Amino acid sequence: MRSIITIVSLFIASASFAQSACLPLDEKLQADTSRKSVKTYAATAWGKDSVVINWYAPAVRNRTIWGGLVPYTEVWVTGAHFATHIDFREKVTVNGVKLDKGRYALFTIPRQNDWIVIINKNWEQHLADEYDPKDDVVRVTVQPQTTCPQAERLQWGFSATDAATGLLYMRWEKLQVAVPVSR
């Protein structure tokens, strides 16, 4: 019973943190003035291992992003060109679902009031052209935070809360979405 209470407390604390704090940006990536979507990655140490995310990072460039360049209610690759993918180097739990270590695609469905973050087993695909919901292993509905400082380039990251918990997050424009992850 005590471990269940601890897990629930960590989940609530992580979710509260995700809603109240804008997570960090890679300032070098933000300073890139290329007109192209830049291929990039984020690697974060987590306990004895790491979490690695690879994506193409488009820029805002004075465009309307939400409901414009990125339409609401459609599956989005949450980057550009190829599916954003994440490597978990050990088993993790996301939204109560246990995932084996391995590589997964990250998709989202942006909506005006909430977002669906999707972890999909078909990580090697172009945009969402080959996306199939049958390959989803986790779907999490989250509330976006829309008061973060401007993130010119789309950025994914993982923020380790401690050796057992962390937040997978995406920031772009003034929006952030975050999903608690534990092991």
Side-chain angles (χ1 to χ4, degrees):
M1 183 69 168
R2 173 174 258 161
S3 62
I4 291 171
I5 292 169
T6 302
I7 290 169
V8 169
S9 297
L10 286 171
F11 182 79
I12 290 169
S14 295
S16 298
F17 178 77
Q19 295 304 313
S20 64
C22 297
L23 294 158
L25 294 171
D26 178 343
E27 293 304 324
K28 288 182 275 182
L29 181 61
Q30 294 306 304
D32 187 313
T33 58
S34 171
R35 294 195 51 82
K36 297 179 180 179
S37 294
V38 180
K39 185 176 184 178
T40 192
Y41 73 96
T44 304
W46 190 27
K48 296 178 185 175
D49 228 322
S50 63
V51 175
V52 180
I53 309 164
N54 289 271
W55 74 99
Y56 282 85
V60 173
R61 295 195 323 256
N62 295 316
R63 299 180 287 184
T64 300
I65 303 301
W66 314 120
L69 181 65
V70 177
Y72 289 121
T73 70
E74 294 182 18
V75 174
W76 177 40
V77 71
T78 322
H81 308 305
F82 294 93
T84 296
H85 60 270
I86 186 166
D87 289 293
F88 291 117
R89 307 279 167 95
E90 61 181 74
K91 292 180 180 184
V92 298
T93 301
V94 178
N95 201 38
V97 177
K98 295 181 188 295
L99 301 179
D100 289 329
K101 69 179 183 177
R103 183 172 286 173
Y104 298 90
L106 296 170
F107 293 97
T108 57
I109 301 174
R111 301 186 297 196
Q112 288 182 317
N113 298 317
D114 61 12
W115 281 43
I116 299 171
V117 177
I118 301 166
I119 300 177
N120 184 282
K121 64 183 178 183
N122 183 8
W123 64 270
E124 197 170 24
Q125 53 186 300
H126 181 259
L127 298 172
D129 299 343
E130 300 168 36
Y131 171 78
D132 188 335
K134 289 185 288 188
D135 292 328
D136 292 351
V137 291
V138 177
R139 280 181 165 232
V140 183
T141 301
V142 297
Q143 298 298 311
Q145 182 175 345
T146 57
T147 58
C148 289
Q150 177 81 6
E152 179 61 26
R153 287 218 177 261
L154 183 142
Q155 197 153 126
W156 280 95
F158 185 84
S159 179
T161 309
D162 57 40
T165 62
L167 290 170
L168 169 64
Y169 67 94
M170 185 280 304
R171 284 190 56 192
W172 197 24
E173 199 248 1
K174 294 185 179 198
L175 184 137
Q176 171 180 284
V177 294
V179 175
V181 178
S182 63
R183 23 172 165 207

